[in-house]
Amino acid sequence: MEENPPLPVAPGATTFTITGGVGSIRYTLAAVAAAAGRIQAAAGHVGSVGEQVDREAAWLESRTLSLPNYPFGAIEAMRRAGRSCRGARGSLQALADEARTAAQRYDDAERNTAATLARATSGRATSDGLAVWSAGLFAPLVMAGQLFHLWHNGRQAPRDTAEEVLNTLPAYAFGLLGPGASLGYQLRGLMPGSGPPAGVLAAVGAREALELAGAIAPGTLTVRRVPSSEWQRRPQPLPGPSAGAGSMGYGPEGGTIAPTIRGVLSGSSDAYAVAPSSIIVRKVDRGDGTTAWIADLPGTESWWPLDGQNVWDVEGDLEAMTSAQRAMFAQRQVLVEQLLKEALKDAGALPGEPVMLTGHSGGGIHAAAAAADPAFLAEVNVKMLVIAGAPAANQAVGARINVLDLQNRDDIVPALDLRAPPDTPQWVTATSTRQDTDTGANPLEKIARAHSLDAYLADADALDTSDDPSIVEQKHAITAFLGPAAAGGAVKYQQFVYQGRKDAEPAPGRTGPKAEPKKERGGIAKQGK
Amino acid sequence: MTVMADDSWLDGEGPAARTGLSPPVGLAADDVAALAVALARLAETIDAERAALGTAGALEWESEAAELFRRAVAERSTLLAVVAADLRDAAWQVRAHANYLYAGLDCRPG
């Protein structure tokens, strides 16, 4: 595969905005709530001690009340200790209540502020739509003025502007229909709502429309282990007595991986290069006799046809974006998930062994969708995701899975999920602002470059030197995943490449049986192990 | 004389109450000594709670509110130190009464 030309990115000049992780407000709020729980427990224990002391004092008093040697000093000391316990319990309880209430209030205030801002933005969009409606014949002029203003709005990053525009399109459209429609839309916005986020609804709508139009259709997956002779630039013989047979291609090739953000993310770059419609599976020797696995996913490789044999096509992206709603569609399986499971199993991954998923763009969506699917997680022990340029915010990734999400302020692709990335202790998003030296590039070129994986790898280089606490925590998670071998600076791995091919199903129905991936002749089944 | 510790005592109603005997006349020195041990253990329990409270205050949180929270936790920690000291004082006083009872037993004729 042809490599992209070097980008005019100076890693030293790149700055980052970090959300999520140990440095985030949400992390602090969770920690404060946990501290409140511990203080509450302490209050309970101290209260129990006080009751115990009171009972014993009462017992001692009852046994000695009529005696000449009444232990006044001892009983009084016990009564005093009991009072101390009760006082401390009340004080601890009050502190626990205050801490819990403070955390909750802060959280509520954040949510209310976000909701108020969203309503205000929606209101502005409706007003803009109404302005066009009321301009009558001059409507095109007004619309052109609005577009000009939007294009030259330097207050927001292109990613955030794209997200805002996509989110407010319905409000704008209702404004175009006139005051009655816009008022109805705004009133609807005041009602408490629930259900899937806007980004998911949009993806569901797009997939349903394409399915109805016959542009996409269900299919079955065929998985093949790709011989190394097909993906190695310079085929290397395998070591050991079976080197002759191995060099024919079916054996895994090895290498070393740097225990860095760039080190793990670069696998996604390799996944673009090895073969179309493929993933890379790396078997990592952790250095203590245990094994970890990294699955590297490329991004969208095929844009047309929308639904072809390549699993990394637009239909595949929609499968991942609507993974949680898969029961609504004729194609009920996410084929990339099946490819991942088959590939890991064939490469020798045992249940419970830790797995990291890396992915760029569509690969990032698929990585997050898999890590949000309970059925997938029941079979694959996903520990961490490292993704870049991916609109993956709508995926409810398991709470114990670390996510390092690289975005760029000029990259509008991550805005396609129509929401900001999750701000949680486990999900850390690093949004870069690059010092682009090529100021003469046109905006579309700039956006394309912003989304390039090479640019994200340069960001990863810069992040590897970051001392931001959230990033440091994620780097620790990477080294912990790679095991003691990471301390040496280079971790050995064996590489496997698997190719998935989607074939159209003969006559699937919405209630048809679940399709299982096939193993192609000359592929996994034939190769054996 | 060795005072035997009885852990179950911590949750009961007093050593004499669990002997199953009819209400005792007066007080056994061993029971009083056991009470002293139990009180000392309760003081240790409070010490452990104080240590746990210290971890609750050790948050990665930097702000004015965080400082106030840490100060409040430190105040409660001091309070627990007072509770533990009161319990140890009570244990010492009870132990002194047990010693007084033992001394009376030693002086008894026969």
Side-chain angles (χ1 to χ4, degrees), chain A residues 99-403:
Chain A
R100 196 178 294 114
T101 306
Q104 188 60 49
R105 278 187 188 153
Y106 196 99
D107 206 25
D108 291 346
E110 284 272 301
R111 286 180 206 281
N112 287 339
T113 304
T116 305
L117 284 173
R119 275 198 296 273
T121 308
S122 170
R124 273 201 308 276
T126 308
S127 299
D128 286 347
L130 272 173
V132 174
W133 175 82
S134 57
L137 286 173
F138 298 102
L141 277 178
V142 174
M143 205 179 257
Q146 288 170 349
L147 280 172
F148 181 85
H149 177 73
L150 188 69
W151 192 258
H152 290 90
N153 177 10
R155 284 179 293 128
Q156 283 195 142
R159 178 196 63 178
D160 301 337
T161 303
E163 197 172 285
E164 187 178 309
V165 167
L166 291 170
N167 265 312
T168 54
L169 266 181
Y172 186 78
F174 274 91
L176 289 175
L177 295 175
S182 61
L183 182 66
Y185 183 82
Q186 289 301 320
L187 288 175
R188 177 195 148 279
L190 291 174
M191 292 176 193
S194 59
V200 174
L201 288 175
V204 166
R207 193 175 170 189
E208 279 188 330
L210 290 171
E211 200 171 88
L212 278 171
I216 61 175
T220 53
L221 181 74
T222 305
V223 182
R224 178 178 82 109
R225 190 199 290 182
V226 181
S228 64
S229 57
E230 286 183 27
W231 51 266
Q232 283 279 1
R233 286 177 189 164
R234 287 178 300 167
Q236 296 164 3
L238 287 175
S242 61
S247 64
M248 294 303 286
Y250 289 105
E253 301 295 327
T256 57
I257 181 175
T260 59
I261 299 169
R262 186 194 174 103
V264 293
L265 186 60
S266 60
S268 182
S269 180
D270 297 339
Y272 276 106
V274 285
S277 196
S278 297
I279 63 169
I280 292 176
V281 171
R282 288 189 277 181
K283 180 183 182 183
V284 176
D285 176 0
R286 300 179 77 242
D288 59 357
T290 61
T291 300
W293 298 85
I294 302 177
D296 302 307
L297 317 183
T300 311
E301 294 178 336
S302 169
W303 295 95
W304 192 263
L306 297 175
D307 187 15
Q309 287 196 318
N310 192 322
V311 294
W312 300 107
D313 60 12
V314 174
E315 191 275 338
D317 290 343
L318 289 172
E319 277 180 32
M321 291 175 99
T322 56
S323 169
Q325 291 77 29
R326 63 183 74 180
M328 296 170 65
F329 302 97
Q331 166 82 48
R332 292 192 176 185
Q333 287 78 43
V334 178
L335 298 185
V336 169
E337 274 186 27
Q338 288 185 296
L339 172 60
L340 274 167
K341 285 192 285 191
E342 286 294 317
L344 284 164
K345 192 174 160 192
D346 182 75
L350 299 173
E353 285 183 332
V355 174
M356 178 190 287
L357 304 177
T358 76
H360 169 243
S361 193
I365 309 173
H366 274 288
D373 178 10
F376 184 85
L377 294 177
E379 294 182 49
V380 180
N381 181 22
V382 180
K383 303 298 279 187
M384 185 165 191
L385 311 182
V386 180
I387 59 177
N394 290 316
Q395 308 294 346
V397 171
R400 281 179 289 181
I401 299 170
N402 283 89
V403 182

